[in-house]
Amino acid sequence: MNEALIIVVSGPGGAGKGTIVQSLIERDSQLWLSRSWTTRTQREGESDDAYVFVTRDQFEERIAGHGFLEWTEFLGNFYGSPVPNVEDGRDIVLEIELHGAQQVKATRPDAILVFVRPPSREEQQRRLQGRGDPEHHVVERLKKAEDEERQGAKIADVVVINDDLELSLIHI
């Protein structure tokens, strides 16, 4: 397989990464979305294919087998991007948090990092609450966001403020 281009879409929770990624995938059949694994509980109403929901033991077995491009632990749960197995000619899109993006950039410096920012903290909070995150997770994500945004701006190839989807997609 030729080396696929890796496009990493990162940003704090509630920035709108998922909406941007979904639009990219729908518009370009040459893009392949890597589904992250997680040990967290599936949210009520969340699509079955939002993540590969696994047990902690399954995740740890995959770590031991070097089966992730990146992985991290956040709020007591594991999240990770499995090493992809895609057809030649398709590029890979990862929708991951900043620590994972840093791991991918360290091993694949040619990866393109798109860092997505929410238009405001208030909008970010509204989005997090709207998707059903528990209030203590909303508070933790909002606290973490400012630091993530500083770090993300330093390493990103592109920074997008997601206040208009179409405009955001033009910048990617």
Side-chain angles (χ1 to χ4, degrees):
M1 176 174 117
N2 292 332
E3 287 287 318
L5 173 66
I6 297 178
I7 302 165
V8 179
V9 179
S10 188
K17 299 179 298 288
T19 301
I20 287 174
V21 165
Q22 188 60 40
S23 293
L24 287 172
I25 297 298
E26 288 171 1
R27 294 172 188 212
D28 188 343
S29 63
Q30 292 305 104
L31 296 176
W32 178 80
L33 177 61
S34 173
R35 276 195 14 206
S36 295
W37 283 32
T38 187
T39 59
R40 79 160 169 75
T41 305
Q42 188 172 0
R43 293 181 190 116
E44 187 174 327
E46 185 173 32
S47 169
D48 288 340
D49 65 356
Y51 286 91
V52 176
F53 295 94
V54 297
T55 66
R56 194 167 189 89
D57 286 344
Q58 290 171 308
F59 201 101
E60 288 172 344
E61 284 176 28
R62 185 91 181 215
I63 291 170
H66 305 287
F68 290 106
L69 278 175
E70 58 79 30
W71 65 272
T72 193
E73 187 172 5
F74 182 64
L75 297 175
N77 294 299
F78 285 135
Y79 296 83
S81 300
V83 173
N85 182 15
V86 296
E87 304 166 19
D88 269 343
R90 294 189 79 190
D91 293 321
I92 301 162
V93 177
L94 301 174
E95 178 191 337
I96 57 179
E97 56 79 50
L98 185 60
H99 183 254
Q102 291 168 322
Q103 289 179 53
V104 172
K105 283 294 265 187
T107 59
R108 286 289 304 268
D110 59 323
I112 297 170
L113 173 55
V114 177
F115 190 80
V116 180
R117 294 182 56 187
S120 68
R121 278 302 158 251
E122 293 76 22
E123 178 61 14
Q124 180 185 15
Q125 181 175 1
R126 187 191 67 74
R127 290 174 182 177
L128 290 168
Q129 290 168 331
R131 71 184 191 187
D133 282 9
E135 195 57 34
H136 66 282
H137 283 184
V138 171
V139 170
E140 286 297 313
R141 288 185 184 277
L142 291 172
K143 278 190 221 175
K144 188 177 176 186
E146 284 186 37
D147 188 44
E148 285 179 315
E149 288 176 9
R150 275 192 300 278
Q151 290 178 29
K154 289 179 185 175
I155 66 168
D157 297 297
V158 178
V159 176
V160 174
I161 298 174
N162 188 18
D163 58 351
D164 179 304
L165 178 61
E166 292 304 316
L167 208 52
S168 295
L169 292 170
I170 289 170
H171 289 97
I172 297 175

